[in-house]
Amino acid sequence: MFEEMHNAPLHEALREYKKRKDTSFHVPGHKDGQAWQGYSDDEDVLAQVMGIDATEITGTDDLHHPQGVIREAQRLAAIQFGAEETYFLVGGSTAGNLALILSVCTTPGDVLLVQRNVHKSVIHGLMLAGAHAVFLAPQQDPGSGLSTLPSAATVGEALRRHPGAKGVLVTHPNYYGMGASLRPLADICHAYGVPLLVDEAHGAHFGQHPALPESALAAGADGVVQSTHKMLTALTMGAMLHVQGGLLDRTLLKQRLAMLQSSSPSYPIMASLDRSRSLLEAYGPALLEKGLTAAREIREGLKQLSRFAVVEPPGASGEPAAYTIQDPWKLVIYDAAGDLSGYDLQERLEAEGCVPEMSDDRYVVLALGPGTTSRHARHLLTALQRIAEVEMKPGDKAATSTLSANFSESVQASDVLSRQISTWNNEEEDLQFAISEPVAFGLTPVSSEEIETIPVEQSTGRLAAEMVIPYPPGIPLVYGGERITEALAERLIELRNSGAKCQGAADSQLYTIQVLKEES
Ligand SMILES: Cc1ncc(COP(=O)(O)O)c(C=O)c1O
């Protein structure tokens, strides 16, 4: 009865499938979980999932040639998210970023203008396409030291210099929920006749409530990737790729998706995408109200806790600012006394039973969502209160007011701090340096004879032979072939000393780095 209220065709087809209990003479081999009978009990959650782990049979449609419930579910998703066409992704936004890049960069050597601080999936897309990336430096918010989007001036100048570029790819919002309007970027791209591609992995909820920022599609982007599983309610790996306008070749895009995604896509994931959309359609902004109220309560509560501060956009300055948008569901907090690093604070919060999304040298990022309640808000505030009390040293008891003074000093040192944060922060106001030369990407591995392993301390000036990816946020700090500057080497050492987790590097502890041998 409850289900009848919602139009979720794919989700309903799956429920029907489970109810019918037909005898399976098809894959998957677990036969709706029956292969596990006798080996699992009622509590076995995996066996429960198997009951709905369907495949493409009569009535369940085919993701790569949708004509029934999947086509209808994708059509309804396009309406809900403001796209002309939507494709379900079962490999996360990763699959969407790869498909977008492979559909615009069709010939090795094609140039794509790419914001430098992108998720590794974008770099992998460039490698697969054999593309040449012109990297665009992001702007930096001076208050927090965090990077957002490249400026419109940077994008415009890059398009002027590279008239043959196939498109522009940016990430919005960043992992911290920060950003600025995408409209100026969409306008410039369209003036040059190229698509604006947006990795909106962290903004699937944007545009779904008046208190939330505008979505990339509403701002005019042509291809948009959203991780529905991150900030909305789909199962992990459930994501969507939305397109509008005539600048993307949709036939090619579908071919790329068929190439990248499994021919046996997960029905629980796809049905969860359908259900996430249908809940939004059925309840509208009210679905998100509870989580937004909790976000407001946390921000209000934090005002009483002088020990911790929240990153917020600066007031209107009249200038086109780097940081005008903050996702209310990303709460970026830090120790105003400057004693606890983000990693320390994350550890303290976890000991109190509050598990953050990520941390860096300075900040902790808390991801809220439609499931966050006032009870969760109180839990967090109580945890922070207790951490503040434990951290207060004996002599500090009556000295909370001095904390802000300490913080002012630490803000003066923010030049140093901003360099320590594990997102890519190399702000370049000078357009000459904000736009890189084209960097060739490809799949040919560098042979071991061409590589040597050296201490990070000795790496300045050398060409990196590996990617180093602090995770999260998964933004490569160095990519293969990039020259390691002094500042970059220092950042690597800082990251090592602060215990950051890194992927990609052969020495994940970052004592050494692989570089290309120098010609003798
Ligand atoms: C900005 C950004 N883009 C893309 C991705 C990849 O998303 P997914 O995990 O859904 O594949 C991530 C993952 O963290 C991300 O942060």
Side-chain angles (χ1 to χ4, degrees):
M1 217 270 312
F2 181 70
E3 271 314 300
E4 282 163 18
M5 290 161 52
H6 303 120
N7 183 16
L10 179 51
H11 185 233
E12 279 151 31
L14 209 52
R15 285 165 62 100
E16 270 308 302
Y17 171 89
K18 188 168 178 182
K19 253 192 256 159
R20 270 201 319 272
K21 291 200 168 108
D22 285 342
T23 303
S24 163
F25 290 106
H26 55 79
V27 296
H30 61 65
K31 307 288 176 205
D32 306 315
Q34 289 179 57
W36 284 31
Q37 268 174 23
Y39 305 104
S40 60
D41 58 24
D42 290 350
E43 303 284 301
D44 191 326
V45 284
L46 259 184
Q48 287 163 23
V49 171
M50 283 175 179
I52 53 160
D53 186 31
T55 189
E56 294 96 340
I57 53 168
T58 307
T60 57
D61 208 1
D62 178 350
L63 178 65
H64 300 294
H65 185 54
Q67 297 200 298
V69 284
I70 295 180
R71 183 169 72 175
E72 182 58 3
Q74 292 188 147
R75 188 186 71 79
L76 291 167
I79 295 170
Q80 183 65 33
F81 292 95
E84 283 170 17
E85 254 186 88
T86 292
Y87 313 105
F88 284 178
L89 305 172
V90 290
S93 286
T94 296
N97 282 337
L98 297 177
L100 274 179
I101 293 170
L102 287 169
S103 71
V104 294
C105 296
T106 51
T107 308
D110 276 351
V111 171
L112 190 66
L113 310 184
V114 182
Q115 174 177 344
R116 177 57 180 81
N117 52 333
V118 283
H119 185 256
K120 61 182 177 170
S121 54
V122 172
I123 301 294
H124 293 153
L126 295 168
M127 289 168 69
L128 285 172
H132 287 190
V134 170
F135 284 116
L136 310 179
Q139 300 168 92
Q140 198 176 43
D141 165 48
S144 62
L146 294 167
S147 302
T148 60
L149 286 168
S151 71
T154 302
V155 174
E157 173 60 16
L159 283 166
R160 194 190 62 73
R161 281 190 212 169
H162 299 278
K166 300 292 178 178
V168 174
L169 191 152
V170 298
T171 302
H172 189 269
N174 68 10
Y175 213 127
Y176 302 76
M178 305 159 70
S181 175
L182 287 164
R183 282 176 187 254
L185 303 194
D187 290 346
I188 292 170
C189 286
H190 297 160
Y192 279 86
V194 299
L196 174 64
L197 314 176
V198 181
D199 176 355
E200 200 177 37
H202 293 272
H205 55 313
F206 279 19
Q208 300 293 333
H209 188 287
L212 292 171
E214 179 177 60
S215 72
L217 283 166
D222 303 271
V224 177
V225 175
Q226 295 180 331
S227 289
T228 322
H229 70 93
K230 288 192 198 298
M231 300 303 290
L232 279 175
T233 53
L235 286 177
T236 293
M237 287 175 95
M240 296 189 196
L241 169 53
H242 308 290
V243 295
Q244 63 180 351
L247 292 171
L248 292 173
D249 180 342
R250 296 186 199 173
T251 307
L252 193 59
L253 190 55
K254 281 183 241 183
Q255 191 269 334
R256 299 311 198 222
L257 284 170
M259 211 170 84
L260 293 162
Q261 301 215 90
S262 169
S263 54
S264 310
S266 157
Y267 271 80
I269 292 177
M270 290 190 290
S272 78
L273 288 170
D274 189 27
R275 188 79 166 100
S276 297
R277 186 275 315 150
S278 86
L279 284 172
L280 279 171
E281 186 193 329
Y283 297 102
L287 183 75
L288 313 182
E289 203 54 65
K290 188 178 52 179
L292 287 165
T293 302
R296 278 192 295 275
E297 286 167 355
I298 296 171
R299 283 186 165 79
E300 278 307 305
L302 277 167
K303 287 186 190 153
Q304 318 304 317
L305 269 178
S306 54
R307 176 71 193 231
F308 299 104
V310 186
V311 174
E312 299 284 5
S317 64
E319 300 276 306
Y323 174 35
T324 52
I325 286 171
Q326 176 63 51
D327 177 0
W329 277 348
K330 283 282 174 72
L331 198 74
V332 185
I333 60 173
Y334 57 97
D335 178 11
D339 286 345
L340 296 176
S341 71
Y343 307 114
D344 295 334
L345 183 52
Q346 169 157 0
E347 217 174 86
R348 307 286 197 285
L349 279 166
E350 285 178 357
E352 296 287 335
C354 293
V355 184
E357 167 66 14
M358 73 146 181
S359 54
D360 61 32
D361 284 40
R362 188 174 178 193
Y363 301 111
V364 168
V365 181
L366 299 151
L368 283 55
T372 311
T373 63
S374 296
R375 184 172 60 80
H376 299 137
R378 284 195 298 279
H379 184 178
L380 177 67
L381 290 168
T382 309
L384 288 169
Q385 172 78 50
R386 285 158 60 110
I387 296 166
E389 281 164 15
V390 171
E391 284 305 312
M392 195 87 76
K393 292 166 200 104
D396 290 347
K397 281 264 183 257
T400 356
S401 57
T402 61
L403 292 178
S404 38
N406 288 352
F407 181 57
S408 302
E409 280 166 32
S410 74
V411 163
Q412 275 160 31
S414 71
D415 216 30
V416 180
L417 280 169
S418 70
R419 302 265 151 219
Q420 295 173 347
I421 294 160
S422 62
T423 185
W424 200 83
N425 268 318
N426 199 1
E427 179 203 34
E428 288 295 354
E429 276 171 11
D430 186 340
L431 284 184
Q432 189 192 342
F433 303 110
I435 302 166
S436 81
E437 290 304 310
V439 178
F441 282 87
L443 290 173
T444 314
V446 187
S447 83
S448 55
E449 284 95 68
E450 295 171 80
I451 296 175
E452 63 178 321
T453 302
I454 59 169
V456 172
E457 282 77 358
Q458 292 166 23
S459 65
T460 299
R462 302 294 297 272
L463 287 174
E466 61 182 358
M467 263 208 273
V468 180
I469 313 168
Y471 208 91
I475 298 167
L477 196 62
V478 185
Y479 54 84
E482 184 173 27
R483 194 165 298 282
I484 302 169
T485 61
E486 194 179 344
L488 207 49
E490 277 171 17
R491 298 263 325 276
L492 292 171
I493 294 165
E494 283 158 7
L495 280 174
R496 171 179 77 204
N497 294 342
S498 61
K501 295 177 210 152
C502 279
Q503 295 179 346
D507 175 4
S508 62
Q509 294 190 308
L510 291 184
Y511 284 96
T512 59
I513 185 164
Q514 295 194 335
V515 294
L516 295 178
K517 281 184 184 161
E518 286 176 328
E519 312 243 316
S520 46

